[in-house]
Amino acid sequence: KFEDIFYVNHFIKSLRDEVKVLKELPPEQKRKAESEPLYYMVPMYFGSLEYYLQRCRVNYEALRFSQPIQETGRKIVNILREKGSFLVLHLRYEKNVLAFTSCKQGLTKEEAEDVKQMKYSQDGWRHKPIASNKKRKHGLCPLTPEETALVLQALDIDKNITIYIAAEEIYNKEKRMADLVATYPNLTILNPEELEPFMEHADQMAAMDYIVAIESDIFMSTFVGNMAVAVQGHRGHSLLTLLLTMKFALFHHDEFFLLVKKIHEDRTGKRAKRKENPDHARQEDSFYSNPQDCLPTFASTIN
């Protein structure tokens, strides 16, 4: 529920000049709502700059995580800080991501079939064409853990740095993580007892990952999704943020390393003027990754 993730009283207080929020509906409306929605609106997935200026009131001000999530997230950050600098790796190699994107690079025939079955079990995914190689060519597939290890090396990431994996269960984890663990042995394994209250709730675990990602010395994502761009925008431009891309092929070792560095020169969360395209909002920069031009008050709090 909303209150299991977010701080309800702060949410209501923050919006008091905009809209009245009730914790519970009055009895008559409650009975009506149980039989039919009082009002239903689908929010725009992509909007113009003007849309956000007129409508956005919640994302960076009203939403704060609940106290238990904040406390546990802070505890995780303190544990990592005791070891020195740390990197949060948003490793998007979960089974559901592979099924949603239809990306099968590195999978065996059996694994590809397993992922395919998951894709066709979801009503919203089954109609999406399977064009793995085409998506890969355009950088629309998540990096595999093995490729991630290569890219981290190419970017000269210290092999002794502590790495916190922000993700759900990696698909075929033991096999696929072997290269990454061998190259970067300081992957953090947290005490399950501390996380026990949240282990069965993916949204709460994701909230804690978000807190740790915001505080990390380096944040990296191997696939651009909602969390990655939100973290990028929240961190601002003073902290190193890398959205890794697979929009290149693997070459000879030295040539590959040089290419990775060149490609990621402009993908490090540097401050940039938000690009607008009023006729094609989908082609604009993500609002979440670059909110500063839209929200001057928010920008002033992170500089």
Side-chain angles (χ1 to χ4, degrees):
K1 296 181 180 179
F2 185 89
E3 60 264 31
D4 294 323
I5 301 171
F6 296 108
Y7 183 12
V8 176
N9 289 340
H10 175 77
F11 179 81
I12 294 174
K13 184 179 178 181
S14 297
L15 296 175
R16 63 187 174 190
D17 295 329
E18 304 285 345
V19 64
K20 187 176 182 180
V21 181
L22 301 179
K23 290 187 178 181
E24 286 189 47
L25 289 172
E28 184 178 339
Q29 275 74 25
K30 189 174 183 180
R31 284 193 296 271
K32 189 175 180 181
E34 288 171 352
S35 59
E36 59 177 292
L38 293 176
Y39 181 72
Y40 185 76
M41 181 186 74
V42 178
M44 289 175 60
Y45 191 68
F46 285 92
S48 64
L49 176 59
E50 192 65 23
Y51 171 82
Y52 289 109
L53 286 170
Q54 293 178 354
R55 302 291 298 278
C56 186
R57 296 290 186 275
V58 172
N59 212 54
Y60 292 101
E61 295 292 341
L63 290 179
R64 286 186 184 173
F65 293 124
S66 66
Q67 201 64 30
I69 288 177
Q70 286 193 48
E71 289 174 358
T72 306
R74 175 56 57 186
K75 187 182 295 185
I76 295 171
V77 170
N78 289 339
I79 291 171
L80 295 169
R81 277 270 172 257
E82 289 175 359
K83 302 176 182 179
S85 299
F86 70 94
L87 179 154
V88 168
L89 180 60
H90 194 215
L91 188 59
R92 301 311 312 276
Y93 205 74
E94 303 108 329
K95 185 178 178 180
N96 61 341
V97 174
L98 298 176
F100 173 75
T101 58
S102 302
C103 293
K104 58 183 182 180
Q105 287 80 14
L107 299 180
T108 65
K109 287 184 179 180
E110 292 77 14
E111 290 169 342
E113 183 60 30
D114 182 32
V115 170
K116 182 179 177 182
Q117 291 302 317
M118 184 178 192
K119 170 187 170 67
Y120 286 126
S121 70
Q122 303 294 320
D123 292 337
W125 301 354
R126 64 178 61 169
H127 70 281
K128 294 178 182 292
I130 298 177
S132 186
N133 292 333
K134 184 178 179 180
K135 286 191 172 184
R136 170 77 159 209
K137 182 179 179 181
H138 293 285
L140 299 176
C141 285
L143 287 167
T144 68
E146 296 92 337
E147 291 162 347
T148 301
L150 282 174
V151 173
L152 292 177
Q153 291 178 76
L155 293 171
D156 294 328
I157 301 298
D158 187 345
K159 292 183 179 180
N160 294 314
I161 195 171
T162 298
I163 295 181
Y164 174 91
I165 303 294
E168 294 180 43
E169 187 70 18
I170 303 302
Y171 188 56
N172 284 351
K173 184 165 96 174
E174 287 191 15
K175 182 180 79 171
R176 301 317 298 264
M177 292 291 287
D179 285 358
L180 187 57
V181 172
T183 310
Y184 291 90
N186 291 334
L187 292 178
T188 299
I189 300 175
L190 298 172
N191 185 351
E193 293 178 3
E194 294 177 333
L195 301 177
E196 189 173 355
F198 312 104
M199 290 293 283
E200 301 300 319
H201 305 281
D203 288 340
Q204 291 181 326
M205 291 294 290
M208 282 184 290
D209 284 345
Y210 189 91
I211 291 171
V212 180
I214 293 298
E215 297 291 335
S216 63
D217 296 285
I218 305 173
F219 172 75
M220 289 187 173
S221 181
T222 59
F223 186 65
V224 179
N226 292 333
M227 176 170 168
V229 294
V231 168
Q232 180 185 355
H234 205 143
R235 284 166 65 84
H237 300 278
S238 59
L239 299 170
L240 182 55
T241 304
L242 285 165
L243 304 183
L244 303 183
T245 179
M246 200 51 215
K247 212 169 181 178
F248 47 75
L250 299 182
F251 297 97
H252 179 269
H253 182 278
D254 292 339
E255 186 180 353
F256 169 72
F257 275 30
L258 289 172
L259 183 61
V260 169
K261 289 178 181 177
K262 182 178 180 181
I263 286 177
H264 288 90
E265 281 178 349
D266 296 323
R267 293 178 64 85
T268 56
K270 296 176 183 175
R271 182 164 190 142
K273 183 75 176 174
R274 188 175 186 273
K275 298 175 184 176
E276 295 182 55
N277 190 341
D279 297 327
H280 300 281
R282 280 176 174 266
Q283 296 176 14
E284 289 191 3
D285 287 353
S286 165
F287 169 76
Y288 302 107
S289 64
N290 193 7
Q292 287 76 19
D293 290 339
C294 308
L295 303 175
T297 56
F298 174 73
S300 66
T301 66
I302 62 172
N303 289 336

